[in-house]
Amino acid sequence: MKKRAVITGAFSYTGSAVARQLVNRGWTVHTLTNRERPAGAERISTSPLRFDEAHLKNELEGADVFINTYWIRLPWGEQTFDTAVERSKMLFRAAKMAGVSRVVHVSVSNASAGRNLGYYDGKAAVEEALRRSGLSHAIVRPTLIVGPNDVLTNNIAWFLRHFPIFPIPGGGDYRLQPITLEDTARIIVSAIEDSSDVEVDAAGKTVFTFKEYVRLLARACGVRRVVIGVPATLVLLALRGIGGILGDVTLTKEEFLGLDQELLISHESPRGEESVENWLMKNGESLGRRYRKEIHRHFGEGSTMAVLNPGTDPE
Ligand SMILES: NC(=O)c1ccc[n+]([C@@H]2O[C@H](COP(=O)([O-])OP(=O)(O)OC[C@H]3O[C@@H](n4cnc5c(N)ncnc54)[C@H](OP(=O)(O)O)[C@@H]3O)[C@@H](O)[C@H]2O)c1
């Protein structure tokens, strides 16, 4: 009999790549999402990601594995990192009540090292809740995931395409270790098909300084730009103004602090196999053509539209 996976976000970013690999490996996939099903994803059944324990338990019944990608990038409206922690715990409780055999949770690199950063503190709390749940589990901690339809790398490319100078907050000597989307999904699928309690990073082979990464993106987009270090407070202030004009949050202070504290690097042997540089050079032509609005995609009208449906991609 086919194994059944329930996953959050199969029509969004990371979850879509995981769902695709699972379907290709013969799994039955059911997703919890508030997005419409895109063309080509007919084999994935769907139900709303509604934070009601009875509903979630019902949807999780009969699953061999539950893959949790749910999180918020930043607090917005009534959604805070505290509410995201509570919702994540509810998902785990529902999985346990439904008798799910295994939970694979997508966290972030150095989840417990980002002290006083809401994103990381919240991630650490969710990891701990899963460890204490008594469920068979895996925790996969990606660094920065690079792939089609990503927000962060795409928007750096958008800035590079539109402005002659790229001011780097704090100089950009801090390092990051990005990984491709397909590699991330492969590592998550391997954790799904494992049966032991494991905690692994998902990081690529190459460590870049942020400045090197921006220069690589400029090369990938085929533009020559002046990349200069500027005090972080000035860049963040300017980004707040630009965000106001774009109707978005471009980069939060906490995200900058996470970068500056080098939380997007791994201290394990890299599991990524695909070269991020090659991926960017190959896909540079499509990067940054349109600015992608985080707020629209996750908190606004775009939150019901499939991210991977080119016909309806609203951004
Ligand atoms: N992207 C990266 O570079 C990166 C790096 C490190 C770690 N991670 C982690 O990897 C996981 C997946 O990230 P992703 O970037 O691929 O995210 P995503 O696909 O955009 O979203 C993942 C899930 O969270 C839900 N979600 C996101 N924002 C929400 C909101 N405001 N309200 C309700 N639900 C919301 C999505 O719901 P819908 O299905 O309805 O969209 C989806 O189920 C997250 O845990 C993230 O922290 C990502």
Side-chain angles (χ1 to χ4, degrees):
M1 206 170 75
K2 276 188 166 192
K3 288 203 158 193
R4 177 176 174 83
V6 176
I7 183 169
T8 56
F11 309 145
S12 199
Y13 185 49
T14 309
S16 68
V18 175
R20 193 171 52 246
Q21 291 194 15
L22 284 175
V23 167
N24 289 343
R25 292 172 75 83
W27 285 73
T28 297
V29 178
H30 179 64
T31 190
L32 297 171
T33 183
N34 295 316
R35 295 183 193 275
E36 292 160 10
R37 191 202 331 257
E42 289 76 13
R43 282 200 278 171
I44 300 174
S45 59
T46 171
S47 180
L49 178 59
R50 197 174 66 238
F51 290 95
D52 160 341
E53 211 159 297
H55 161 72
L56 294 172
K57 173 179 173 279
N58 197 33
E59 294 303 321
L60 283 157
E61 259 156 19
D64 295 289
V65 66
F66 167 55
I67 305 113
N68 180 36
T69 68
Y70 165 73
W71 195 242
I72 55 170
R73 193 186 127 196
L74 42 88
W76 189 258
E78 292 184 353
Q79 297 196 54
T80 64
F81 289 123
D82 286 341
T83 60
V85 170
E86 289 315 310
R87 288 174 163 193
S88 306
K89 288 181 180 171
M90 184 191 286
L91 283 162
F92 298 154
R93 274 199 309 276
K96 190 157 186 180
M97 287 191 301
V100 174
S101 313
R102 184 168 175 78
V103 171
V104 174
H105 172 64
V106 184
S107 185
V108 69
S109 52
N110 301 297
S112 50
R115 290 279 161 247
N116 301 320
L117 299 179
Y119 186 105
Y120 290 86
D121 286 350
K123 284 284 192 187
V126 175
E127 286 191 359
E128 192 52 26
L130 181 56
R131 281 186 207 105
R132 286 166 182 257
S133 68
L135 287 154
S136 159
H137 67 271
I139 296 172
V140 179
R141 301 193 189 96
T143 50
L144 174 69
I145 306 170
V146 177
N149 295 299
D150 155 63
V151 174
L152 231 52
T153 295
N154 176 77
N155 287 351
I156 296 173
W158 184 86
F159 275 99
L160 285 164
R161 286 192 188 280
H162 288 81
F163 298 96
I165 296 173
F166 191 97
I168 299 219
D173 288 330
Y174 35 86
R175 299 167 300 159
L176 71 162
Q177 193 176 351
I179 179 165
T180 65
L181 179 61
E182 285 310 307
D183 264 346
T184 307
R186 177 182 51 77
I187 293 161
I188 294 170
V189 168
S190 148
I192 291 167
E193 292 182 342
D194 195 344
S195 55
S196 52
D197 290 352
V198 285
E199 301 192 12
V200 295
D201 284 355
K205 288 185 284 193
T206 310
V207 177
F208 304 89
T209 64
F210 188 65
K211 200 191 298 169
E212 286 168 346
Y213 189 62
V214 171
R215 288 193 171 131
L216 167 60
L217 282 174
R219 271 207 322 282
C221 293
V223 295
R224 290 170 71 90
R225 294 293 182 254
V226 179
V227 176
I228 48 161
V230 173
T233 40
L234 286 183
V235 178
L236 289 169
L237 205 63
L239 285 178
R240 197 180 293 176
I242 294 172
I245 295 166
L246 292 168
D248 196 30
V249 177
T250 50
L251 182 78
T252 67
K253 184 177 174 193
E254 285 209 356
E255 285 174 325
F256 165 70
L257 292 173
L259 273 170
D260 194 45
Q261 291 172 25
E262 300 194 325
L263 299 177
L264 297 185
I265 60 172
S266 169
H267 303 285
E268 299 175 0
S269 295
R271 291 181 176 75
E273 291 169 359
E274 198 181 0
S275 156
V276 167
E277 178 167 357
N278 286 352
W279 190 91
L280 290 171
M281 294 309 289
K282 204 168 146 200
N283 293 278
E285 178 53 32
S286 61
L287 285 175
R289 290 289 170 194
R290 278 180 308 157
Y291 181 85
R292 295 210 168 107
K293 291 187 191 177
E294 173 68 30
I295 299 304
H296 179 75
R297 182 184 284 194
H298 285 122
F299 300 95
E301 284 168 28
S303 60
T304 59
M305 299 173 194
V307 167
L308 294 178
N309 185 351
T312 57
D313 188 349
E315 302 150 305

